[in-house]
Amino acid sequence: EIYTMGHRNPWRPTLDSKTGYLYWGEVGPDASIDSVWGPKGYDEFNQAKGPGFFGWPYFIGNNRPYNSYDAETKTYGASFDPSNVVNHSQNNTGLQKLPDPVPAFIYYPYGPSEEFPLVGSAGRSATGGPVFRKGDFTHAARPFPDYYEGKWLIVDFMRDWIMAVSMDGEGNYESMERFLPSQNFNAAIDINFGPSGDLYILEYGDAWFRKNANSRLIKLEYNAGNRKPIVKAASNKLAGAVPFEAQFSSEGTVDYDVNDHNELTYSWEVVSDKGVVQSIYEANPTVLFDEEGIYEVTLIVTDTKQESNRASFQIIAGNAAPEVTIDLENANRSFYFGKSSMPYSVSIEDLEDGRTTTGRIKADEVALTFDYVPSGFDPIEVAQIQSGADLLAIDAIGRNLIESGDCKSCHQYNIKSIGPSYHEVARKYENSPENRALLQDRVINGSTGIWGEHAMAAHPELSTDQAQRIVAYIMGILDDKPTVALMTLAGELQPRLPEGEDGLGTYVLRAAYEDKGNSGLPSLSGESIVTLRNPVVFPQSADLSENTQLLTTPRKNYFVLGPEAFIGFRKLDLTNIQEIDVFVQVSPRYEAHGGLVEVRIDDPAGPLLGQSELALARQPRRGGFGGPPPNATSEELKQRRRRGTQTLAISIEPTSGLHDLYFVFKNADAPEREIMMSVVELEFYERKEVIE
């Protein structure tokens, strides 16, 4: 039996367990404007209270009719009549006179919807979802609250939202609201409640027909009781030579229960490695550290229900962290503009160890790497590449201590001398904490009768930290060493793009130094990193944004919405930057309103560096959904991305140094949450060559 008919592309059907009503999403045709065929395309969310005809292919939306068509004469006739629908098809073997069509429950086009403005505008793929009935979860651990009783949770696969739709007692539409409005769901393709009452959401991820790395299954749990505070604890200083003051901060600590707002109590516990406990009862205290040691600091935050949460960090007093500086002369420190070589120099200063400029810190004790990191590269793998240089630099500290003392008068690296070779020592002793402590004691205090009749001289002039470094080098001397090309502390960088790369990655220059410790305290590391990114920047990589919407299917669209929106990037170097081009689309398909772009620093309302011309609506050239041609160059890929865009060229006031940079999009006539424009990409220029 046929229960419902007149469907085009139904998705995710569900039954209301109380009423028996059937619900589903319905994906409509790909038409952005009304035409001789009839109305533009609409997606629908539908409800069947009983058997019914839902309109397709005669009607769409709230029974908006298509026009009849004569295939022989290729002419259009009158619009179909929803009160008299007759199926004259020669292929029809069933009813000719069809039931009156049921109008769509919710419907919306690519552009803004007058009837349902909250759904927004952009690509569309109405997917559906479950109707919540608490009676289905009588023994569940965490059922949703009564507030959602009878509400239909719907999702659009391409718009990344979930709506909670409210209905009256007869199942008629009343209203909708965003569910978790601050959360974008990355192409949610299914949604349902589990037996525990938790809501499961299946995210498809960025691209179609691929094994997306960001596809995932989310579980949302409802907490019906008191919520504990979410605790953030930090300090402006985590190490230093004594005495020093540290400013503790609880900024970011929140409790979402209204009765706990401004009612939280704060307790800091500072416990030294000698067992001394200091308690402080304020949110952001200043604490003096005047004795060497390792301190465990814990912030405990308690709400009005006496429920608490905590966060901790460690302070090392008595050893200052090294300061690492990379100098690129006057070059821009954020972008790589294609230069074949770039001068650099690295310097280290450590309060206890000295400086590279005085020779107390030697060049081979500094880990220095220069790598090309492809776009989308795993940062963990980047760290693994750089860790090889770190290991060699740490090794060098122990080796240099051996070379600068009298150790080689009795020991060689792999040949027996008066005493055993370092290779023999490493083979005899397992690399364990107990053996390391044993050998450190022998290095400082000497030994006799272990490797023969010759005694090992004492070295009381060596500190415990230095002995630890020497022993660590010896114990690891037989280990496989990384194959890392060593760099000098000054020279010329030679950027090279690996074969097959698209050029959208980043060059990373990193210098790191691990100090030698002090008074038995742990070693501390310092590093400096310069990341030279491609001057082409994508809006979805912005650190800050407001009134924006990223859609990922069937292709990426980054929309700026309403009368004003911004995207912001933290700590960009503007030295030598003369122009920034913003590539945008103002598509009539989405009824985009257009606007202009301002470039401001330090704040969305900060100093104005430049402003674009007005971008007006323009139909973009249509491109295929297929991938780029094989072996496309980076320049060909860039031109492909920019096909059909408008270029908003913005000249920049001369500015130097690091700033937060904001692109502010404005159109006072654009309604709230409607599309102003789509931002494709941005490009920074030191100087822009103009070809006549």
Side-chain angles (χ1 to χ4, degrees):
E1 294 290 339
I2 295 174
Y3 185 66
T4 61
M5 62 181 182
H7 301 295
R8 181 183 184 274
N9 190 0
W11 277 69
R12 184 49 186 86
T14 192
L15 287 170
D16 183 339
S17 63
K18 181 176 180 180
T19 64
Y21 296 164
L22 174 65
Y23 295 87
W24 69 95
E26 187 95 38
V27 177
D30 182 22
S32 58
I33 59 173
D34 297 336
S35 68
V36 293
W37 287 93
K40 57 190 171 184
Y42 290 83
D43 272 25
E44 303 173 356
F45 289 100
N46 279 312
Q47 174 200 68
K49 295 181 178 179
F53 166 54
F54 286 83
W56 185 262
Y58 303 92
F59 310 96
I60 198 167
N62 58 338
N63 287 343
R64 301 184 183 195
Y66 286 97
N67 300 323
S68 61
Y69 179 69
D70 189 319
E72 292 184 358
T73 63
K74 298 182 180 180
T75 57
Y76 296 94
S79 299
F80 293 111
D81 181 0
S83 63
N84 183 31
V85 189
V86 181
N87 182 354
H88 293 294
S89 171
Q90 62 184 5
N91 300 313
N92 180 22
T93 59
L95 292 177
Q96 281 198 324
K97 177 69 170 69
L98 301 181
D100 290 346
V102 179
F105 195 65
I106 297 169
Y107 54 95
Y108 52 98
Y110 283 118
S113 168
E114 293 183 8
E115 297 85 355
F116 307 97
L118 197 60
V119 299
S121 55
R124 46 185 171 79
S125 186
T127 305
V131 176
F132 176 73
R133 293 294 181 185
K134 200 162 188 177
D136 297 337
F137 303 98
T138 53
H139 301 293
R142 291 172 298 275
F144 268 43
D146 293 339
Y147 176 80
Y148 287 100
E149 176 65 24
K151 286 182 169 58
W152 182 23
L153 297 181
I154 59 173
V155 62
D156 185 295
F157 173 65
M158 291 175 62
R159 297 198 179 185
D160 297 343
W161 45 246
I162 298 175
M163 298 286 181
V165 178
S166 297
M167 295 166 276
D168 63 21
E170 297 180 355
N172 300 313
Y173 176 88
E174 286 189 332
S175 64
M176 70 170 67
E177 61 186 290
R178 281 287 296 269
F179 176 77
L180 298 182
S182 62
Q183 176 72 40
N184 277 345
F185 297 94
N186 197 11
I189 198 168
D190 201 359
I191 174 175
N192 207 0
F193 289 99
S196 61
D198 303 321
L199 184 66
Y200 291 85
I201 302 166
L202 185 65
E203 293 186 330
Y204 185 91
D206 283 343
W208 288 5
F209 316 123
R210 299 180 191 173
K211 296 178 180 179
N212 292 313
N214 62 339
S215 61
R216 60 178 181 168
L217 180 65
I218 300 172
K219 182 175 77 169
L220 295 176
E221 298 181 358
Y222 172 65
N223 177 5
N226 178 64
R227 290 169 287 188
K228 294 181 180 180
I230 299 172
V231 179
K232 303 290 184 182
S235 174
N236 69 333
K237 199 167 186 179
L238 296 175
V242 294
F244 70 88
E245 285 188 338
Q247 177 65 55
F248 292 173
S249 171
S250 61
E251 183 178 355
T253 297
V254 296
D255 192 304
Y256 289 110
D257 294 315
V258 175
N259 56 292
D260 290 321
H261 291 181
N262 302 316
E263 299 294 333
L264 301 176
T265 58
Y266 298 81
S267 172
W268 296 86
E269 288 187 356
V270 183
V271 183
S272 76
D273 52 1
K274 302 177 182 62
V276 178
V277 179
Q278 181 182 5
S279 297
I280 308 162
Y281 302 99
E282 57 181 283
N284 303 297
T286 300
V287 181
L288 173 67
F289 292 89
D290 54 5
E291 291 188 12
E292 292 182 347
I294 301 173
Y295 296 81
E296 293 293 332
V297 180
T298 301
L299 171 60
I300 304 167
V301 181
T302 306
D303 65 16
T304 56
K305 302 291 187 182
Q306 300 306 304
E307 291 198 80
S308 62
N309 228 333
R310 62 183 59 208
S312 301
F313 56 83
Q314 189 178 79
I315 296 276
I316 295 177
N319 184 25
E323 297 181 5
V324 182
T325 303
I326 296 176
D327 185 8
L328 297 182
E329 296 188 359
N330 193 41
N332 187 280
R333 296 171 67 91
S334 290
F335 300 103
Y336 169 62
F337 292 103
K339 294 181 175 66
S340 60
S341 65
M342 302 172 61
Y344 76 93
S345 61
V346 175
S347 60
I348 313 291
E349 183 172 350
D350 185 85
L351 185 63
E352 293 82 20
D353 294 357
R355 304 178 180 178
T356 50
T357 53
T358 63
R360 289 184 60 193
I361 298 176
K362 300 192 169 42
D364 60 356
E365 298 173 356
V366 181
L368 187 58
T369 57
F370 182 60
D371 299 296
Y372 177 78
V373 181
S375 57
F377 204 70
D378 186 345
I380 297 175
E381 295 187 45
V382 176
Q384 289 173 340
I385 292 172
Q386 297 169 340
S387 66
D390 291 355
L391 291 172
L392 291 181
I394 294 168
D395 253 13
I397 293 175
R399 187 181 65 249
N400 290 338
L401 286 168
I402 289 173
E403 295 285 344
S404 63
D406 64 356
C407 300
K408 291 181 68 178
S409 62
C410 295
H411 303 278
Q412 298 298 313
Y413 290 98
N414 58 2
I415 301 173
K416 182 176 175 60
S417 181
I418 297 173
S421 71
Y422 295 131
H423 283 209
E424 289 179 293
V425 175
R427 281 192 288 265
K428 179 175 181 178
Y429 294 96
E430 181 186 357
N431 192 353
S432 66
E434 295 77 16
N435 285 338
R436 287 196 298 272
L438 174 68
L439 296 181
Q440 289 162 18
D441 179 72
R442 290 176 182 172
V443 168
I444 294 174
N445 299 313
S447 64
T448 184
I450 298 171
W451 291 88
E453 61 185 23
H454 292 285
M456 178 177 174
H459 298 85
E461 75 283 1
L462 292 176
S463 68
T464 302
D465 311 301
Q466 292 171 322
Q468 287 174 347
R469 290 290 195 173
I470 291 172
V471 169
Y473 172 75
I474 295 170
M475 297 295 272
I477 199 169
L478 296 177
D479 296 342
D480 291 335
K481 302 302 178 185
T483 54
V484 179
L486 298 178
M487 296 175 61
T488 60
L489 294 183
E492 295 277 332
L493 299 175
Q494 307 291 331
R496 295 287 184 269
L497 184 65
E499 185 177 354
E501 289 299 333
D502 59 9
L504 294 176
T506 301
Y507 289 99
V508 179
L509 176 62
R510 174 181 179 266
Y513 174 72
E514 183 177 304
D515 70 19
K516 302 177 179 68
N518 187 48
S519 302
L521 294 170
S523 299
L524 297 174
S525 298
E527 72 174 4
S528 180
I529 298 177
V530 176
T531 56
L532 300 175
R533 66 171 76 176
N534 190 294
V536 174
V537 177
F538 297 99
Q540 56 266 32
S541 67
D543 302 303
L544 305 156
S545 64
E546 186 173 284
N547 291 337
T548 65
Q549 182 182 30
L550 172 63
L551 302 179
T552 57
T553 50
R555 65 188 76 185
K556 282 189 172 66
N557 265 311
Y558 194 95
F559 293 118
V560 290
L561 310 174
E564 183 168 330
F566 71 75
I567 58 175
F569 300 87
R570 289 195 176 98
K571 303 303 180 187
L572 288 185
D573 186 6
L574 299 181
T575 302
N576 303 327
I577 299 297
Q578 295 184 359
E579 181 176 315
I580 306 173
D581 289 354
V582 184
F583 298 88
V584 303
Q585 287 185 341
V586 186
S587 174
R589 179 178 193 174
Y590 301 136
E591 300 185 24
H593 295 273
L596 55 81
V597 187
E598 297 176 344
V599 179
R600 297 181 178 271
I601 57 172
D602 303 329
D603 188 89
L608 178 67
L609 297 189
Q611 179 176 297
S612 77
E613 296 180 350
L614 188 66
L616 301 175
R618 181 191 302 171
Q619 187 69 49
R621 288 166 52 197
R622 293 181 63 85
F625 283 84
N631 304 317
T633 66
S634 59
E635 184 61 29
E636 288 171 339
L637 291 171
K638 181 166 68 174
Q639 295 306 317
R640 183 182 178 87
R641 294 193 307 270
R642 294 177 181 178
R643 186 182 302 162
T645 63
Q646 299 181 50
T647 305
L648 303 181
I650 307 172
S651 298
I652 300 300
E653 292 289 330
T655 309
S656 61
L658 296 175
H659 293 273
D660 291 346
L661 188 66
Y662 292 87
F663 295 85
V664 184
F665 301 82
K666 290 185 175 181
N667 182 345
D669 296 326
E672 293 287 344
R673 304 305 298 173
E674 292 192 12
I675 293 173
M676 200 187 312
M677 64 186 78
S678 172
V679 185
V680 176
E681 61 190 47
L682 309 91
E683 184 164 3
F684 291 71
Y685 300 90
E686 281 191 313
R687 60 190 68 84
K688 187 176 182 182
E689 296 182 5
V690 179
I691 300 175
E692 297 292 341

